[in-house]
Amino acid sequence: METGQNLSLLLGEQLNKQQLVMATAESCTGGGVSTAITDIAGSSAWFDRAFVTYSNEAKMEMLGVNESTLIEHGAVSEPTVIEMVHGAIRCSNANVAVSISGIAGPSGGTKDKPIGTVCFAWAIDNKWEKVETFQLDGDRAQVRKQAIEIAQKVLYEYLCKQN
């Protein structure tokens, strides 16, 4: 079994054990986290839905991200992913969510937000919230792969500490 599949399986076991249901709000990963999760047989027991909100319009329409947040901070920002993660929970049957927005490349980077900048937010209802920005190395595929793993790993590690 691949490391990625193993991580998805382990995360699913923790979510199921704790009777939690997950949703994702993804931009730069294009649904990669939800694909990794739904590659696991039986994931419908702990996974509700995915929002692939690549455009700013999708972030606003599907997740309720405020236009002012996007204008002031940009799509790749911690304030944006916080609104995305809360929108994913609010607009689903999930009580756990992860959101991701980043610059996977090969273009789109700036001095302040170079290629490989990826912002994440995780939330469990009103019980836990974490937001973090990573600077990932590699080409587009490598940045996306790392982001998919980080999204799952941080949540898995948190859930393991709750047992």
Side-chain angles (χ1 to χ4, degrees):
M1 183 178 292
E2 290 179 47
T3 307
Q5 272 192 315
N6 192 43
L7 181 57
S8 298
L9 180 62
L10 293 170
L11 174 58
E13 288 171 353
Q14 283 300 314
L15 288 164
N16 203 31
K17 183 179 181 180
Q18 297 181 40
Q19 299 180 340
L20 297 170
V21 177
M22 184 175 174
T24 62
E26 302 180 62
S27 187
C28 69
T29 50
V33 176
S34 60
T35 298
I37 288 168
T38 58
D39 278 348
I40 304 302
S43 58
S44 61
W46 48 270
F47 186 75
D48 180 51
R49 68 189 74 186
F51 299 91
V52 179
T53 55
Y54 210 70
S55 70
N56 286 350
E57 290 76 17
K59 289 172 182 64
M60 292 184 294
E61 290 171 12
M62 295 172 71
L63 299 171
V65 173
N66 290 304
E67 183 177 20
S68 60
T69 302
L70 293 163
I71 292 168
E72 185 176 344
H73 302 283
V76 180
S77 68
E78 292 184 359
T80 295
V81 293
I82 289 168
E83 289 186 25
M84 288 171 67
V85 80
H86 290 295
I89 291 173
R90 186 178 58 253
C91 298
S92 71
N93 296 316
N95 46 17
V96 177
V98 60
S99 64
I100 307 164
S101 188
I103 305 164
S107 62
T110 65
K111 183 181 176 208
D112 293 335
K113 295 178 187 177
I115 293 168
T117 302
V118 183
C119 301
F120 298 83
W122 299 265
I124 301 176
D125 283 329
N126 295 320
K127 301 174 189 168
W128 175 71
E129 181 178 291
K130 180 179 175 83
V131 62
E132 192 167 354
T133 299
F134 289 80
Q135 185 59 52
L136 306 176
D137 293 320
D139 64 18
R140 183 177 180 81
Q142 292 167 324
V143 167
R144 288 166 54 117
K145 183 175 188 251
Q146 292 170 75
I148 291 164
E149 290 173 2
I150 290 166
Q152 294 180 87
K153 185 178 180 191
V154 169
L155 180 57
Y156 171 71
E157 289 174 351
Y158 175 78
L159 292 174
C160 285
K161 292 177 187 172
Q162 302 312 299
N163 287 329

